[in-house]
Amino acid sequence: MEVLDHVAGKWSIGILVAAGRGPVRFTELERVVTGISRRVLTLNLRRLERDGLLDRTVYPTVPPRVEYSLTPLADELHVTLSGLVDWAERHGTAVAAARAAHDASATGRRG
């Protein structure tokens, strides 16, 4: 499903979760979404805006100030994504331990 690919993409979750905390500027997203390049962030922001998930507001200042916020459509999605992120943070250590145990077991079986 194309929609699922967009909202569950590598960078989309981090962008949407960050924007769910309130209006966020590009530089803040760059800092919060660890490892994303400016170009990839720009492409993802444009795609999420096109999909109706982000609103882009440009303020007439010098230099222009741009903020991104969730649309009403994305508000509902934010609840689900936040739950997923919380789960990953709570269980990341257990998943890593299970992975290490599995890999050690698989290595022992090859011998």
Side-chain angles (χ1 to χ4, degrees):
M1 292 181 69
E2 184 180 357
V3 172
L4 189 56
D5 289 342
H6 282 207
V7 299
K10 181 175 182 179
W11 304 112
S12 298
I13 293 173
I15 292 168
L16 292 169
V17 168
R21 296 183 191 121
V24 62
R25 296 179 70 178
F26 185 91
T27 52
E28 187 177 349
L29 285 168
E30 253 184 324
R31 188 173 32 78
V32 172
V33 183
T34 308
I36 195 167
S37 70
R38 291 186 83 112
R39 176 168 161 47
V40 171
L41 178 56
T42 298
L43 293 173
N44 276 270
L45 289 169
R46 286 179 185 160
R47 190 184 74 234
L48 292 168
E49 184 181 4
R50 181 176 178 241
D51 288 345
L53 300 173
L54 285 180
D55 279 329
R56 181 177 185 265
T57 305
V58 180
Y59 295 94
T61 59
V62 179
R65 184 175 58 127
V66 179
E67 290 181 340
Y68 297 90
S69 55
L70 295 184
T71 64
L73 178 64
D75 280 335
E76 180 183 348
L77 176 61
H78 181 261
V79 173
T80 302
L81 292 178
S82 294
L84 178 62
V85 169
D86 290 345
W87 181 90
E89 288 172 351
R90 282 193 323 271
H91 299 290
T93 303
V95 170
R99 185 181 304 137
H102 179 273
D103 292 351
S105 172
T107 301
R109 286 184 280 185
R110 290 186 191 141

